[in-house]
Amino acid sequence: LDGNSVPASGSITVNPRETTTYTLEVSNEHCLPETYEVTVRVDPLRLSALTVNPEEITLGESAQLDWHFNSTFDPELHTVTVNGEEVTGGSHTVTPAGLGESEYTLAVVDAFDRTLVENSLTVNVVAPPVINSFEADAATVCSYPGQPLEQPVVLSWATQNSTRLELNGQTIAPPAS
């Protein structure tokens, strides 16, 4: 069988990962060899979609991984893992522990512990915006009704990790730090 000796009668178990043709050849010293071929067709497991939503989150938030396989996926025969943790269904929620990019690897193994599918994606984790300080240089001012203030009040602030800053509904750009 495929160049290897086998008994005159018997069987062998094969587990091809792709379509494979097996050739059986029989011979003796008086006759020409006879060959026979069988082809085991394999429709390989394919990942048809792998997404993360949202792709960017604030530290402490979660993102959802969603995936779909072609029709050859069978939960009785295949085990799905995300970063080594067994999961079921077509989605899994992740909560990254730190800032920056967190990579998640989806893998599918068969009953023979062979990896059939492996694909990764990334969730970007950013720090939450923080207001370090916000104050007025004068907490109380006096003015006459209908008259402008003799001396304007200065508002000051310090922020971190902000991309947009609003003061009483008006956008201030760029954000102060």
Side-chain angles (χ1 to χ4, degrees), residues 93-137:
T93 301
V94 295
T95 306
L99 296 173
E101 292 185 346
S102 292
E103 183 175 88
Y104 293 92
T105 301
L106 177 86
V108 179
V109 296
D110 65 10
F112 303 99
D113 205 31
R114 298 179 298 184
T115 301
L116 304 176
V117 171
E118 188 171 77
N119 205 336
S120 297
L121 47 68
T122 302
V123 176
N124 189 35
V125 182
V126 297
V130 176
I131 298 173
N132 294 328
S133 64
F134 182 48
E135 50 195 41
D137 69 345

Side-chain angles (χ1 to χ4, degrees), residues 46-83:
R46 288 183 303 279
L47 181 64
S48 53
L50 175 60
T51 60
V52 61
N53 187 28
E55 292 178 3
E56 183 171 281
I57 59 174
T58 301
L59 185 62
E61 294 180 337
S62 298
Q64 182 168 310
L65 310 178
D66 293 297
W67 58 86
H68 299 283
F69 300 106
N70 64 341
S71 62
T72 60
F73 178 78
D74 183 344
E76 299 293 321
L77 303 174
H78 302 114
T79 302
V80 180
T81 62
V82 173
N83 285 12

Side-chain angles (χ1 to χ4, degrees), residues 135-142 149-156:
E135 50 195 41
D137 69 345
T140 305
V141 294
C142 296
L149 293 177
E150 289 183 18
Q151 185 173 357
V153 176
V154 176
L155 302 177
S156 59

